[in-house]
């Protein structure tokens, strides 16, 4: 990396605080800021039962019934525990077709936090993306982002656009510890605008935090810099805001000048640089379903609303029930609580710290919502064509009933249509995504201890081969078997 972006990163580094700075004594790992009112039973199965389930599932954990999972770290999306306050709000759902009071609460809350003029509800984040990109894109246009999330990329490409990832180079090294590894490389962004021309870029985006890049945060300086660069060329700027509160927490604790600002103030500033945002409320909305798009442009909002009526519903419900809108409005306020965010981010960091003590390789530093094990370093004896990530995921389940997801060759390896040569991804990752307010720290300790046990006996793990693969998105439905040697 070079130029502006590098100078800025150096600046952050010299001012970046270490993990335990700014934390009250005895509060390196703040405990849960809630007590439990309702419990949900989860089953411990025996190893024999898990082996049978795994065989039935064709060694693909997507095929295992959730009731047979002990700790489910497949995703942090839509898996949050709602609070008593949110459940109480559900009872106040006004299910009027038009003008539900919950919509006005939802709209007011989003305006207070995000500051945009128009608020359009959708039933999840990808519909916000679909509305936006089906309206503004046509063949030949280009959309830059730090890293497109997979649904964002799919919506850009399906609508004829080219999705370009411009995350900073240092982010690609799993061992490099930097405070803001989600930052876009502004030099590369400037070069892209120069190369394709501003008229070919209908908008630029930043994903906060950067989900595809390890849940790493983006700094305020980088958000501001991206905004200035895009706006200088007349290009609108949108944020993919799914984990905006987690990103704001990292800005507060790592970026100079923000320690004394509230999460709301930081969020207000982040969104003040943008023209709009897409959001999946299934993340920092602390709900199980919902999303929205918010923006300032009147004419564009009108077009999106007209399309919304076609695919989701009337503009004051957009595919959601009144009670869902109420739960989101309340969740968006709860997620700004610093005691919650301190606990949330430290729960993830704590798992990373335990793995670090035992020498288990993972992507560093831990991000906002997940720990990503580095399966290539964990299992160096399993070649990429035998799916080291899958070998680790299968053992996590067989050994401890834990479910994780592979982000490696099963998901991304691509066969060249002409030469038949397979291109493998740089990293073989196993993502342990941590649902919000769901698992206690003692359950997370169980996860850490079991990963360490697997690590200590890692030579015994074997690779896998495919017995069935679908032509697209094969990781969801693939079937496999262990390689016999
Ligand atoms: C989850 C997610 C989306 C899509 O949201 P859904 O609610 O799953 O449709 C988009 N972008 C990012 C960064 C996400 O994490």
């Amino acid at each position: 990396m070079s130029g502006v972006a590098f100078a800025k990163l150096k600046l952050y580094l010299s001012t970046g605080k270490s993990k335990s700075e700014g934390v009250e004594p005895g509060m390196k790992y703040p405990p849960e800021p809630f007590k439990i009112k309702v419990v949900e039973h989860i089953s411990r199965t025996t190893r024999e039962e898990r082996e049978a389930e795994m065989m039935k599932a064709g060694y693909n954990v997507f095929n295992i019934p959730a009731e047979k999972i002990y700790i489910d770290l497949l995703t942090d999306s839509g898996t949050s525990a709602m609070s008593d306050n949110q459940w109480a709000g559900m009872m106040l759902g006004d299910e009027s077709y038009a003008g539900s009071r919950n919509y006005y609460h939802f709209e007011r809350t989003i305006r207070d936090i995000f500051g945009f003029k128009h608020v359009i509800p959708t039933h999840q984040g990808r519909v916000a993306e679909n509305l936006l990109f089906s309206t503004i894109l046509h063949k030949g246009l280009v959309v830059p982002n730090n890293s497109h999330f997979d649904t964002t990329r799919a919506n850009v490409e399906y609508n004829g656009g080219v999705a370009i990832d411009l995350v900073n180079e240092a982010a690609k090294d799993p061992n490099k510890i930097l405070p803001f590894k989600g930052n876009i490389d502004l030099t590369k962004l400037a070069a892209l605008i120069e190369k394709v021309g501003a008229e070919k870029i209908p908008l630029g985006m930043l994903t906060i935090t950067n989900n595809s890049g390890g849940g790493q945060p983006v700094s305020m300086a980088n958000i501001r810099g991206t905004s200035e660069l895009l706006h200088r060329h007349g290009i609108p700027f949108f944020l993919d805001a799914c984990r905006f509160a987690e990103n704001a927490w990292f800005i507060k604790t790592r970026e100079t000048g923000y320690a004394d600002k509230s999460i709301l103030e930081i969020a207000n500033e982040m969104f003040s640089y943008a023209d709009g945002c897409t959001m999946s409320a299934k993340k920092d909305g602390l709900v199980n379903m919902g999303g929205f798009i918010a923006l300032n442009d009147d004419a564009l909002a009108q077009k999106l609303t007209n399309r919304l009526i076609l695919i989701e519903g009337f503009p004051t419900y957009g595919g959601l029930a009144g009670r869902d809108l109420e739960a989101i409005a309340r969740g968006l306020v709860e997620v700004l609580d610093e005691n919650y965010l301190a606990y949330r981010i430290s729960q993830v960091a704590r798992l990373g710290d335990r793995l670090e003590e035992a020498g288990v390789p993972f992507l560093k530093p831990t991000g906002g919502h997940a720990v990503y094990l580095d399966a290539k370093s964990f299992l160096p004896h399993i070649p990429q064509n035998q799916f080291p990530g899958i070998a680790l995921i299968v053992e996590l389940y067989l050994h401890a009933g834990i479910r994780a997801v592979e982000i490696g060759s099963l998901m991304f390896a691509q066969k060249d249509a002409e030469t038949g040569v397979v291109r493998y991804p740089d990293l073989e990752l196993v993502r342990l995504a941590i649902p919000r307010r769901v698992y206690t720290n003692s359950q997370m300790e169980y996860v850490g201890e079991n990963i360490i046990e697997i690590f200590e006996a890692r030579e015994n793990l074997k690779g896998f081969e495919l017995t069935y693969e679908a032509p697209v998105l094969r990781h969801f439905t693939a079937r496999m078997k262990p390689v016999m040697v």
Side-chain angles (χ1 to χ4, degrees):
M1 198 187 346
S2 61
V4 180
F6 185 67
K8 286 197 170 164
L9 272 173
K10 275 213 301 217
L11 184 73
Y12 303 149
L13 249 192
S14 58
T15 56
K17 288 183 181 166
S18 76
K19 164 168 80 217
S20 54
E21 263 179 61
V23 170
E24 286 171 52
M27 289 287 274
K28 184 175 174 203
Y29 300 121
E32 294 82 355
F34 50 80
K35 56 183 178 175
I36 296 168
K37 195 192 299 266
V38 176
V39 296
E40 177 181 352
H41 176 77
I42 48 177
S43 335
R44 293 278 288 136
T45 46
T46 63
R47 173 133 191 152
E48 290 69 46
E49 284 172 279
R50 293 194 288 276
E51 279 171 359
E53 288 296 336
M54 193 51 103
M55 297 259 278
K56 256 196 284 176
Y59 295 91
N60 184 342
V61 291
F62 280 100
N63 294 333
I64 298 179
E67 288 191 336
K68 301 291 181 189
I69 309 284
Y70 184 49
I71 306 285
D72 201 348
L73 307 182
L74 190 67
T75 178
D76 67 318
S77 177
T79 52
S80 301
M82 293 210 300
S83 66
D84 53 355
N85 171 52
Q86 285 174 294
W87 280 106
M90 299 277 284
M91 286 306 291
L92 301 178
D94 164 8
E95 305 307 339
S96 306
Y97 190 93
S100 149
R101 70 169 163 258
N102 310 113
Y103 172 75
Y104 295 113
H105 184 202
F106 173 87
E107 182 189 47
R108 201 164 60 241
T109 306
I110 292 168
R111 282 208 187 124
D112 285 349
I113 300 170
F114 297 77
F116 301 117
K117 193 168 163 197
H118 303 282
V119 176
I120 302 170
T122 62
H123 87 271
Q124 56 181 94
R126 68 196 66 184
V127 185
E129 295 169 347
N130 174 333
L131 286 171
L132 180 64
F133 292 121
S134 66
T135 305
I136 64 166
L137 282 184
H138 57 77
K139 207 166 162 41
L141 297 187
V142 172
V143 178
N145 201 325
N146 47 354
S147 305
H148 287 82
F149 179 64
D150 57 8
T151 60
T152 323
R153 170 174 295 278
N155 272 297
V156 169
E157 290 174 352
Y158 185 79
N159 288 292
V162 182
I164 299 193
D165 292 345
L166 299 174
V167 75
N168 70 88
E169 281 301 317
K172 296 173 187 169
D173 177 350
N175 293 311
K176 198 146 202 162
I177 298 188
L178 291 167
F180 292 104
K181 272 173 109 174
N183 282 356
I184 197 167
D185 185 329
L186 290 169
T187 311
K188 285 191 195 161
L189 180 58
L192 178 78
I193 299 170
E194 181 79 15
K195 186 172 146 219
V196 305
E199 69 288 354
K200 287 275 161 60
I201 307 178
L203 60 79
M205 264 187 136
L206 282 179
T207 306
I208 55 172
T209 58
N210 188 17
N211 188 7
S212 308
Q216 301 291 329
V218 179
S219 70
M220 191 71 88
N222 194 251
I223 295 173
R224 194 185 311 118
T226 305
S227 168
E228 283 168 6
L229 178 55
L230 292 171
H231 288 156
R232 209 179 310 134
H233 292 88
I235 303 168
F237 173 40
F238 272 59
L239 289 164
D240 179 338
C242 299
R243 297 177 182 80
F244 76 97
E246 291 171 6
N247 200 88
W249 175 257
F250 283 115
I251 288 175
K252 182 178 170 85
T253 54
R254 293 182 181 175
E255 192 164 348
T256 312
Y258 291 93
D260 297 326
K261 292 214 154 81
S262 70
I263 299 298
L264 178 61
E265 288 170 321
I266 295 172
N268 285 162
E269 184 180 340
M270 293 188 321
F271 294 109
S272 74
Y273 299 122
D275 303 292
C277 72
T278 54
M279 170 91 187
S280 167
K282 298 170 73 171
K283 286 68 176 240
D284 275 351
L286 298 177
V287 295
N288 307 115
M289 192 52 74
F292 59 87
I293 179 163
L295 70 166
N296 289 329
D297 182 326
D298 297 333
L300 180 57
Q302 187 71 61
K303 284 190 202 157
L304 298 180
T305 305
N306 290 341
R307 236 187 110 62
L308 180 84
I309 295 171
L310 185 69
I311 65 174
E312 286 277 87
F314 191 74
T316 63
Y317 74 85
L320 294 166
R323 55 180 171 269
D324 297 330
L325 295 166
E326 187 61 32
I328 297 170
R330 293 177 183 221
L332 287 171
V333 173
E334 290 178 15
V335 82
L336 303 176
D337 174 16
E338 293 187 12
N339 289 323
Y340 160 74
L341 286 167
Y343 141 80
R344 161 75 178 157
I345 302 297
S346 87
Q347 188 178 48
V348 178
R350 180 177 186 160
L351 176 58
D353 290 351
R354 181 69 190 99
L355 298 177
E356 176 73 7
E357 277 168 24
V360 176
F362 63 95
L363 201 147
K364 285 166 205 158
T366 48
H369 67 290
V371 171
Y372 295 68
L373 300 176
D374 175 357
K376 228 190 208 175
S377 311
F378 197 113
L379 299 171
H381 61 288
I382 301 181
Q384 278 188 287
N385 65 2
Q386 292 183 10
F387 307 109
I390 295 300
L392 184 48
I393 279 175
V394 167
E395 190 59 21
L396 275 167
Y397 180 71
L398 294 180
H399 188 76
I402 298 165
R403 177 156 68 174
V405 70
E406 189 241 28
I407 304 185
S409 284
L410 185 65
M411 197 178 266
F412 292 129
Q414 276 183 336
K415 195 182 268 181
D416 187 297
E418 279 164 27
T419 62
V421 175
V422 181
R423 289 224 336 261
Y424 293 97
D426 295 335
L427 297 176
E428 296 286 342
L429 299 174
V430 167
R431 186 184 76 176
L432 304 153
I434 304 181
R436 294 170 181 77
R437 305 191 294 205
V438 170
Y439 293 117
T440 62
N441 283 323
S442 97
Q443 286 167 324
M444 295 314 299
E445 261 168 46
Y446 168 90
V447 171
E449 295 317 309
N450 278 283
I451 293 170
I452 292 165
E453 282 177 24
I454 295 170
F455 184 64
E456 283 162 358
R458 60 193 177 279
E459 293 82 14
N460 302 333
L461 300 199
K462 300 241 159 40
F464 280 82
E465 60 188 314
L466 283 158
T467 59
Y468 165 75
E469 64 179 306
V472 284
L473 295 174
R474 65 178 181 176
H475 54 284
F476 289 118
T477 54
R479 299 186 74 83
M480 285 160 285
K481 65 173 190 193
V483 172
M484 296 299 162
V485 271

